[in-house]
Amino acid sequence: MQHHPQGARKSHSRRLLLTEIRRTGPVARIDLASRTGISRASVTTITADLLHEGLIEEVARKDPTPEQTRGRPRVDLKLRGAAHLVAGLKIANRAVSVALVDFEGALLGQREAPLPRPVNDARNLAEQLGQILDQALDGIGRTRGDLSAIGIGISGIVDAHRGFVYWSPSLVSRNLPFGQILTETLGKPVYLDNDTNLVALAEQSFGLGRGIDDFIVVTIESGVGMGIVLNGHLYRGTRGCGAEFGHTKVHLDGALCRCGQRGCLEAYVADYALLREAAISEPDQHPRPDEQRIEALLRAARNGQPTASSIVARAGRMFSMGLANLVNIFDPQLIILSGERMQLDHLYASEVIAAMRSSIVQIDKPPPEVMIHKWGDLMWAKGAAAFALGGVIETAIANGKPT
Amino acid sequence: MQHHPQGARKSHSRRLLLTEIRRTGPVARIDLASRTGISRASVTTITADLLHEGLIEEVARKDPTPEQTRGRPRVDLKLRGAAHLVAGLKIANRAVSVALVDFEGALLGQREAPLPRPVNDARNLAEQLGQILDQALDGIGRTRGDLSAIGIGISGIVDAHRGFVYWSPSLVSRNLPFGQILTETLGKPVYLDNDTNLVALAEQSFGLGRGIDDFIVVTIESGVGMGIVLNGHLYRGTRGCGAEFGHTKVHLDGALCRCGQRGCLEAYVADYALLREAAISEPDQHPRPDEQRIEALLRAARNGQPTASSIVARAGRMFSMGLANLVNIFDPQLIILSGERMQLDHLYASEVIAAMRSSIVQIDKPPPEVMIHKWGDLMWAKGAAAFALGGVIETAIANGKPT
């Protein structure tokens, strides 16, 4: 293995400085030195490089501290938004969302387009994504050639390091190098990850997780997902299949799950789990789409219909037990319950949070904060864009010149 | 807040170098430069300081690579064992174990002494520890004055950053600054942590976790504990009460646990849980100590007695469900089942591991490795010593001179 000590050292300092500038927004050179432990001289040299490369820019300090009001105006450094344009895409069941984001993370454009079929051949799906992406770019007067990278979130089990999809509900085949297929088809570097990990990145970059070292995001959609941020970094596990909260077992030999195993949390709280129970207690005479059946069940529960209430209450209790297990294991600062489906209020309910709090190890200190963040598909896409930005920054660090 | 950029930078490089030397044992300066990204010139300067301070020493390279056999002999750097002496203590129910360890981690002495009472006043316990510690030191011809630091492991809920004990079965009172009480009583810096975290440190420093970034240690004693190493660092949670594996819930409203809650894993697998069931099926006519009752139950299960087998088998199944949940959440490289009680073979059984493997998310890649590590109380004490060593290194980094 070849080592390049000088290169490695410069990369190390570039990484620290770019990361710190990205994390803390406009920041003075002197603060960069003290926060990173890099000498003032090196900060001056490396930030001069970064300015020259157009990755960062100087801005006048907005709120000078009293001792800084005299003398020449102080300047801060921040990322230069125009340095890079990236796209984030979220592949959902029947739709694709696109977010176009600059190097600073500002949202420049967005688009949502239908996906005709939920399960697709990999190359065909890549081509559909390309068309939707181009439409989004066209909306802001840009083209695919302007992109530095593309982040993509997909449901399933993904090894993000390799862009490898073990399994996804959106793809016909298993065990595909889907990241590579996407890079080839789209002609730009693609960063592919499990969609829930990207929600955690979005919360960290743009949302409730900003500046918080240890937090957990639980997503509640048709299934239950989870993203783990520890020490400020997304934790992905060794094989790319950690954070499978929905398939942790809450009952030995319990209810059958879609995954084929028994007792998974999803088998108690997902839509299909509620409908399975609803179907038994009150067989549906008139076949209706699942969305309507779920809505009817939740409405009946809200109106106090006993069986519906029992079904929904058990889902909430199982969910609170699962959440309590996460707290007992991670003891995080914050849990973000994150989802777009407003009708899942039974899982966001204060009784659920209270039951979680009473099921964790009790110490004489408050339990972790729980925040509820409801949003749309764009959040997933913005998380995918944040992932792509991370990749662009890694490339900028490695190259030591603009990419 | 005052910042000292030059000092911060030097500390940062000292930290990287000392950590790398500690982690990789004898290592050449040039490899330190390439691995840490610190320039060769700085490596030379800082390692000269460390040599001067007596923290590290030069050793002839044992196994030169072919191109290095010509010319002058190459030297490697390693920690200097004699630089520091630390003690590690484990407070068990009825005994205290002591390990005396040098700066390189070599075991210089050990001792186990009985603890007359399992629950103690804090100051009284600190004084008893001091006596046992002095006896151990006397055994190797050293005194307490020779110690740089003392690491101590205790059962319960401990915030290691503050040395604060929320609750411990070994202490009469709750919410005690026990680390501070120990430091005052013993007259040396004390690093206090939950005992299971220290087993994880021991596995990382001396055991099966060496060189592994992400692993989980599950300890099986009278309760079930857990230590989490992620990215090479012990993960302690925000409030100091993470990794409470024994109190994750495996059954909604399940069996009553000693902690007062219901459905905890411990309430199915701990000794008291097994005895609770055994007592119902076959009331004990002749009161016997719990140890004997447990032995009799496990023997009966091994001999195929149906009720005993059913009791023990359920414990194993609940345990495998809990383990599977850990894998589904962490996707670690390795799980170490770690304990000293040879009779708990029913939890180490291949059926339990197989059941765990069939209950995790299935991908076309092997599941994490599971290793079983049986050892005595000394392992806990060595982990406590490793924790103290970490503290000594932090002090050495901060001081920039010998402590």
Side-chain angles (χ1 to χ4, degrees):
Chain A
M1 193 170 68
Q2 279 290 97
H3 287 292
H4 302 282
Q6 286 300 333
R9 183 199 182 194
K10 199 183 167 198
S11 287
H12 184 68
S13 300
R14 277 175 74 92
R15 177 186 307 279
L16 285 178
L17 290 174
L18 263 178
T19 306
E20 190 61 23
I21 294 169
R22 185 188 186 194
R23 197 175 66 86
T24 56
V27 54
R29 284 179 178 81
I30 190 168
D31 294 331
L32 282 175
S34 60
R35 285 183 206 160
T36 59
I38 297 167
S39 71
R40 293 193 202 183
S42 294
V43 168
T44 302
T45 311
I46 295 168
T47 55
D49 286 351
L50 297 173
L51 281 163
H52 180 71
E53 294 162 25
L55 291 171
I56 62 173
E57 62 189 359
E58 289 185 327
V59 287
R61 184 167 303 171
K62 274 186 186 146
D63 183 21
T65 51
E67 67 268 30
Q68 287 164 342
T69 51
R70 276 169 263 188
R72 66 191 176 93
R74 301 295 181 111
V75 291
D76 284 337
L77 298 172
K78 69 171 190 64
L79 296 185
R80 191 175 71 95
H84 288 283
L85 175 69
V86 302
L89 281 78
K90 149 78 177 174
I91 304 165
N93 199 24
R94 289 277 181 187
V96 173
S97 309
V98 182
L100 298 169
V101 164
D102 76 8
F103 195 47
E104 273 192 277
L107 183 68
L108 302 184
Q110 54 175 289
R111 187 177 181 87
E112 186 168 315
L115 195 62
R117 277 162 294 126
V119 188
N120 291 272
D121 165 76
R123 286 205 182 271
N124 179 274
L125 178 57
E127 275 154 24
Q128 291 180 70
L129 295 181
Q131 287 165 19
I132 296 167
L133 174 60
D134 288 342
Q135 290 161 10
L137 284 160
D138 195 51
I140 62 164
R142 307 290 287 268
T143 67
R144 218 189 286 180
D146 297 330
L147 288 176
S148 297
I150 303 166
I152 298 182
I154 191 168
S155 293
I157 300 172
V158 181
D159 182 340
H161 296 290
R162 299 189 292 139
F164 192 86
V165 178
Y166 288 102
W167 170 82
S168 167
S170 301
L171 292 171
V172 175
S173 305
R174 295 171 73 100
N175 299 313
L176 283 178
F178 189 46
Q180 194 184 316
I181 293 169
L182 286 162
T183 298
E184 285 164 15
T185 309
L186 300 178
K188 290 285 173 184
V190 168
Y191 297 88
L192 180 72
D193 202 349
N194 171 280
D195 49 6
T196 311
N197 279 343
L198 298 181
V199 173
L201 274 187
E203 292 290 1
Q204 184 184 37
S205 304
F206 316 113
L208 300 173
R210 281 198 79 158
I212 297 187
D213 281 343
D214 302 317
F215 68 92
I216 285 173
V217 174
V218 173
T219 60
I220 313 168
E221 300 298 325
S222 57
V224 178
M226 175 185 175
I228 305 168
V229 173
L230 300 179
N231 291 323
H233 295 282
L234 191 64
Y235 180 77
R236 286 195 172 88
T238 298
R239 300 172 301 153
C241 61
E244 285 288 345
F245 182 47
H247 298 286
T248 60
K249 306 293 178 283
V250 292
H251 201 308
L252 187 65
D253 296 334
L256 189 66
C257 179
R258 284 184 299 189
C259 75
Q261 296 181 7
R262 285 193 176 276
C264 299
L265 179 59
E266 274 196 17
Y268 293 92
V269 307
D271 289 356
Y272 77 86
L274 301 185
L275 292 178
R276 165 171 57 194
E277 295 221 303
I280 286 163
S281 67
E282 195 176 326
D284 209 328
Q285 303 301 326
H286 317 284
R288 288 180 292 174
D290 284 354
E291 288 80 1
Q292 286 178 29
R293 293 174 61 208
I294 276 285
E295 269 175 39
L297 174 72
L298 296 176
R299 195 167 46 240
R302 279 194 299 273
N303 293 338
Q305 196 273 317
T307 306
S309 298
S310 160
I311 292 170
V312 166
R314 188 179 74 161
R317 294 175 72 216
M318 284 296 194
F319 187 62
S320 69
M321 174 176 154
L323 282 183
N325 285 349
L326 293 184
V327 173
N328 278 338
I329 287 172
F330 285 104
D331 184 26
Q333 276 175 273
L334 171 67
I335 293 180
I336 304 171
L337 302 182
S338 190
E340 59 184 308
R341 298 181 58 202
M342 302 295 286
Q343 75 268 38
L344 295 184
D345 279 336
H346 62 290
L347 297 183
Y348 297 127
S350 55
E351 305 91 272
V352 170
I353 311 300
M356 178 274 273
R357 290 199 168 125
S358 69
S359 304
I360 62 177
V361 170
Q362 304 292 310
I363 63 170
D364 296 320
K365 210 173 175 185
E369 201 175 353
V370 179
M371 298 180 87
I372 293 166
H373 193 188
K374 295 181 180 175
W375 39 260
D377 258 1
L378 188 63
M379 186 74 173
W380 305 88
K382 281 181 78 179
F387 187 33
L389 277 182
V392 167
I393 284 185
E394 283 302 311
T395 306
I397 289 163
N399 286 0
K401 54 181 75 164
T403 52
Chain B
M1 194 169 70
Q2 278 291 94
H3 287 292
H4 302 283
Q6 286 301 332
R9 182 200 184 193
K10 198 183 168 198
S11 288
H12 183 69
S13 299
R14 275 175 76 91
R15 177 185 308 279
L16 284 179
L17 290 175
L18 264 178
T19 305
E20 189 63 23
I21 293 169
R22 183 187 187 196
R23 197 175 66 86
T24 58
V27 55
R29 285 180 176 83
I30 191 169
D31 293 331
L32 282 175
S34 60
R35 285 184 205 159
T36 59
I38 296 169
S39 72
R40 292 193 202 184
S42 294
V43 168
T44 302
T45 311
I46 295 168
T47 56
D49 286 352
L50 297 173
L51 282 163
H52 181 70
E53 293 161 25
L55 292 171
I56 62 172
E57 62 189 359
E58 290 185 328
V59 287
R61 183 166 303 170
K62 276 187 188 144
D63 183 22
T65 50
E67 66 267 29
Q68 288 165 343
T69 50
R70 275 168 265 188
R72 64 191 176 94
R74 301 295 183 109
V75 293
D76 284 338
L77 299 172
K78 70 171 189 62
L79 296 186
R80 192 175 69 95
H84 289 283
L85 176 69
V86 303
L89 282 78
K90 148 78 178 176
I91 303 165
N93 199 25
R94 290 275 181 189
V96 173
S97 309
V98 182
L100 298 169
V101 164
D102 76 7
F103 194 47
E104 273 192 278
L107 183 68
L108 303 185
Q110 55 176 289
R111 187 178 180 87
E112 187 168 313
L115 195 62
R117 277 163 293 125
V119 189
N120 291 273
D121 165 75
R123 286 205 183 270
N124 181 274
L125 179 58
E127 274 153 26
Q128 292 181 69
L129 296 181
Q131 287 164 20
I132 297 168
L133 174 60
D134 288 342
Q135 289 160 10
L137 284 160
D138 196 51
I140 61 163
R142 306 291 285 269
T143 67
R144 218 190 285 181
D146 297 329
L147 288 175
S148 297
I150 302 166
I152 298 182
I154 191 169
S155 293
I157 300 172
V158 182
D159 182 340
H161 296 292
R162 299 189 293 138
F164 192 86
V165 178
Y166 288 103
W167 170 82
S168 167
S170 301
L171 292 170
V172 175
S173 306
R174 296 170 72 100
N175 299 314
L176 283 178
F178 190 46
Q180 196 184 314
I181 292 169
L182 286 163
T183 297
E184 285 164 15
T185 308
L186 300 178
K188 289 285 172 183
V190 168
Y191 297 88
L192 181 72
D193 201 351
N194 170 281
D195 49 6
T196 311
N197 280 343
L198 298 182
V199 173
L201 274 187
E203 293 289 1
Q204 184 184 36
S205 303
F206 316 112
L208 300 174
R210 281 199 79 158
I212 297 187
D213 281 343
D214 303 316
F215 67 92
I216 285 172
V217 174
V218 173
T219 61
I220 313 168
E221 301 298 326
S222 58
V224 178
M226 175 184 172
I228 306 169
V229 172
L230 300 178
N231 290 324
H233 295 283
L234 191 64
Y235 179 78
R236 286 196 171 87
T238 299
R239 300 173 301 153
C241 62
E244 285 289 345
F245 181 48
H247 298 285
T248 59
K249 306 294 178 282
V250 292
H251 200 308
L252 188 64
D253 296 333
L256 189 66
C257 180
R258 284 184 299 190
C259 76
Q261 297 181 5
R262 285 192 174 276
C264 300
L265 179 58
E266 275 195 16
Y268 293 93
V269 306
D271 288 357
Y272 76 87
L274 301 186
L275 291 178
R276 164 170 60 195
E277 296 220 302
I280 285 162
S281 67
E282 196 174 328
D284 209 329
Q285 302 301 327
H286 317 284
R288 289 180 292 173
D290 284 355
E291 288 80 2
Q292 287 178 28
R293 294 175 61 211
I294 276 286
E295 267 174 41
L297 174 71
L298 297 176
R299 196 168 46 240
R302 279 194 298 273
N303 292 336
Q305 197 274 317
T307 308
S309 298
S310 159
I311 292 170
V312 167
R314 189 179 73 162
R317 294 174 72 215
M318 284 297 195
F319 186 63
S320 69
M321 175 176 154
L323 282 183
N325 285 348
L326 294 183
V327 174
N328 279 338
I329 287 171
F330 285 104
D331 184 25
Q333 274 173 275
L334 172 66
I335 293 180
I336 303 170
L337 301 182
S338 190
E340 59 184 307
R341 298 180 59 203
M342 301 297 287
Q343 76 269 38
L344 295 183
D345 279 337
H346 62 291
L347 297 182
Y348 298 127
S350 55
E351 305 90 271
V352 169
I353 311 301
M356 178 275 272
R357 291 199 169 123
S358 69
S359 303
I360 62 178
V361 169
Q362 303 292 311
I363 62 171
D364 295 321
K365 211 174 173 184
E369 202 174 351
V370 179
M371 296 178 89
I372 293 166
H373 193 187
K374 295 181 180 176
W375 39 261
D377 257 1
L378 187 63
M379 186 76 173
W380 305 87
K382 281 182 78 178
F387 187 33
L389 277 182
V392 167
I393 285 187
E394 283 303 312
T395 307
I397 290 163
N399 287 359
K401 55 182 74 164
T403 51

